[in-house]
Amino acid sequence: MYSNPGDTLQACLSGCEDIRTLSVLDSVRDLVMNDCDESSLDDLECHALWLSTEEKELLTRFEEQYDSTLCIVNPTKKKFGETVLERYYYDLLRIYANELDRNNALLLVFGFSFADEHIRDLTVRAARSNPKLLIFISCYKADDADSYEDRFADCDNVILLVPKGDMKLGLDVFARGLSCLSK
């Protein structure tokens, strides 16, 4: 629920005020206000083809502003994909977080930089809150260790596997190192 809908709608136009002057706007308004049929869709498509590059960029900026400002699932063909894919992604992250919270959990990280903030935040939180979680992170090269150390500062349960010198840590070396741990 939005506390001030007028301000919220105005925020959608921020930086996109010129959208009100688009020639195609009347056609879009007619399409939205009236029953949609093949003819009106064809007309709209025809108008869209004649938009200038600047007008297309303006519409793209407005769409991005609209999507980031309003929490609305629009009744479009993308609706199913957006809601279902986002739900699956959420479910996967929830399962991941639940597994990290288990006692004696082990996470082996190979080939992942933790650049994805959602996964990074979940992993760091789990490393800090679950002392029984053990995380092994394979650094491809020695220079990569610094970024992992920064991300997992104050986490005693994160172990970095860092290659020496110019060596690169491939999957074969990583697997051999893990097999030594199991003995």
Side-chain angles (χ1 to χ4, degrees):
M1 185 63 66
Y2 299 101
S3 60
N4 190 337
D7 289 346
T8 304
L9 293 173
Q10 191 61 39
C12 288
L13 287 173
S14 179
C16 305
E17 290 82 3
D18 291 346
I19 200 164
R20 295 175 180 162
T21 63
L22 287 179
S23 59
V24 74
L25 196 59
D26 289 332
S27 298
V28 172
R29 187 176 295 119
D30 289 343
L31 185 63
V32 171
M33 299 302 280
N34 300 316
D35 289 337
C36 181
D37 60 12
E38 284 295 318
S39 174
S40 38
L41 285 175
D42 290 342
D43 290 346
L44 182 63
E45 190 175 302
C46 189
H47 286 297
L49 290 173
W50 290 101
L51 289 173
S52 68
T53 302
E54 294 82 19
E55 290 172 322
K56 288 177 185 175
E57 289 171 1
L58 177 62
L59 283 170
T60 300
R61 275 198 325 271
F62 174 75
E63 181 182 17
E64 290 167 357
Q65 189 72 13
Y66 175 88
D67 287 342
S68 67
T69 304
L70 297 174
C71 296
I72 295 175
V73 177
N74 292 301
T76 65
K77 289 182 181 180
K78 294 190 315 185
K79 174 185 167 186
F80 177 76
E82 289 171 353
T83 54
V84 170
L85 291 177
E86 287 175 14
R87 182 173 158 227
Y88 284 129
Y89 183 67
Y90 170 79
D91 287 344
L92 287 172
L93 288 177
R94 186 177 46 78
I95 291 167
Y96 176 70
N98 288 342
E99 289 300 315
L100 293 179
D101 287 338
R102 295 176 73 165
N103 279 338
N104 299 320
L106 172 64
L107 176 64
L108 304 174
V109 180
F110 183 85
F112 186 69
S113 67
F114 287 98
D116 182 302
E117 66 191 61
H118 300 100
I119 295 172
R120 178 182 61 236
D121 291 348
L122 287 172
T123 308
V124 170
R125 182 198 57 78
R128 290 188 176 142
S129 66
N130 182 0
K132 299 225 179 209
L133 168 66
L134 186 57
I135 301 174
F136 285 97
I137 300 176
S138 169
C139 301
Y140 179 64
K141 52 189 184 203
D143 297 344
D144 297 338
D146 293 336
S147 68
Y148 291 118
E149 286 173 353
D150 291 342
R151 287 192 166 113
F152 293 95
D154 305 322
C155 296
D156 295 334
N157 52 350
V158 175
I159 297 168
L160 300 179
L161 305 173
V162 184
K164 293 184 180 181
D166 292 338
M167 186 176 114
K168 295 199 174 21
L169 192 58
L171 187 56
D172 56 335
V173 176
F174 182 63
R176 282 197 309 269
L178 290 177
S179 69
C180 291
L181 290 173
S182 67
K183 293 179 182 179

